[in-house]
Amino acid sequence: MNRSQYHEARGAAHSLGKVAAPTLGFWLIKIAATTLGETAGDAVTMSMNLGYLVGTVIFAAILLLALCIQIRAERFHPMLFWTVIVATTTVGTTLADFCDRSLGIGYPGGSTLLFALLMASLLIWYRTLGTVSIQHLDSRGAEVFYWMTILFSQTLGTALGDWVADPDTGWGFGYQGGALLFAAGLIVVIAAYYWSRISHTILFWAAFILTRPLGATVGDFLDKPVASGGLALSRYTASAALIVCMLVLIFVFPQRAERVQRSARP
């Protein structure tokens, strides 16, 4: 096989997907998006006094619309992709709060339930398609599993972040302490990525899950009352600042699509 034939074969086996590649910029934007999900979710449910159920319905409608456009898209669109990510994290915020508080199952119950749903999503995805790697998002079925797993991880992250940080009914780490704890977890994952043989797919999902409670605790730190350990910033102001931050990061850091390996499945 000559060089030209080699590149043609490689191009046939690989193509650009529709989700962002996990670069440094990806993770910075992801943390900003999860923090925005917390402040924006709280702005609708608490500041507007609409409640967790109504807030969940509103954000779920936005998510459904954005997700339909994302799945029908033929190529990677950075703004569309991050819109869906933000939609999953706002739905995750309001849905987790609804489960923890409105349904009365508390942070332990909510975290356990959502962790079970997340693991079930990954297991069913793996049993159905043989992999949970983002390099194999080569069908609509794989995309649906990808976004369902993200939604469960975003929702779990809110419940877990609240459970760890809440000074009254949680573990009592506080918002700063909780943020440091989850940031330390991310550092461990990064170290494992460079200096261990642990599957990069496992490490990707571990990092993806950890960024959500990190964003949740940072978001709560920004808008919760000073007496509770927060800065008492306006949720609207914090959300607007985070939107600007995300837009700057999206334009500063090159956005590229993850390369997809075309499988032999029909």
Side-chain angles (χ1 to χ4, degrees):
M1 179 184 293
N2 59 37
R3 180 170 297 182
S4 175
Q5 291 173 324
Y6 169 79
H7 285 295
E8 287 180 5
R10 180 177 175 84
H14 295 77
S15 62
L16 293 179
K18 299 191 297 182
V19 303
T23 59
L24 173 61
F26 171 91
W27 293 114
L28 293 177
I29 299 168
K30 170 63 164 57
I31 293 172
T34 56
T35 307
L36 171 61
E38 191 71 19
T39 58
D42 288 349
V44 170
T45 58
M46 298 180 185
S47 298
M48 294 182 183
N49 294 315
L50 295 180
Y52 302 124
L53 181 58
V54 174
T56 299
V57 171
I58 292 172
F59 288 123
I62 296 172
L63 171 61
L64 182 60
L65 175 61
L67 189 54
C68 286
I69 298 173
Q70 167 69 24
I71 291 178
R72 290 175 63 86
E74 296 296 329
R75 60 185 180 85
F76 173 59
H77 299 277
M79 294 302 296
L80 175 59
F81 173 82
W82 288 112
T83 296
V84 181
I85 290 290
V86 171
T88 62
T89 195
T90 48
V91 170
T93 296
T94 56
L95 182 57
D97 287 341
F98 177 75
C99 292
D100 296 341
R101 299 166 188 173
S102 298
L103 295 183
I105 61 178
Y107 297 138
S111 298
T112 302
L113 172 62
L114 292 163
F115 180 77
L117 291 172
L118 173 61
M119 291 299 103
S121 175
L122 287 167
L123 178 61
I124 296 171
W125 182 1
Y126 182 80
R127 292 292 297 272
T128 302
L129 299 179
T131 179
V132 295
S133 170
I134 63 172
Q135 294 180 345
H136 289 273
L137 298 179
D138 58 347
S139 68
R140 287 195 174 180
E143 285 187 76
V144 170
F145 277 120
Y146 172 81
W147 288 111
M148 181 170 63
T149 302
I150 284 179
L151 178 59
F152 285 141
S153 74
Q154 305 282 43
T155 311
L156 169 64
T158 297
L160 186 59
D162 288 344
W163 189 15
V164 168
D166 195 302
D168 300 317
T169 58
W171 293 1
F173 276 79
Y175 303 121
Q176 296 180 62
L180 290 174
L181 177 65
F182 293 119
L186 278 175
I187 292 173
V188 171
V189 172
I190 293 170
Y193 179 89
Y194 287 106
W195 296 297
S196 81
R197 296 183 179 180
I198 299 174
S199 164
H200 285 184
T201 296
I202 293 175
L203 293 175
F204 168 82
W205 286 111
F208 202 98
I209 292 167
L210 283 171
T211 53
R212 180 60 185 107
L214 173 59
T217 51
V218 172
D220 282 337
F221 173 66
L222 293 175
D223 64 28
K224 288 297 187 284
V226 174
S228 299
L231 296 179
L233 299 179
S234 162
R235 294 184 179 105
Y236 304 118
T237 301
S239 298
L242 287 164
I243 290 173
V244 172
C245 177
M246 278 192 65
L247 291 174
V248 170
L249 289 172
I250 288 171
F251 285 106
V252 167
F253 287 92
Q255 296 289 295
R256 63 180 179 84
E258 179 61 62
R259 292 186 66 84
V260 172
Q261 299 177 21
R262 295 296 176 184
S263 69
R265 297 188 309 271

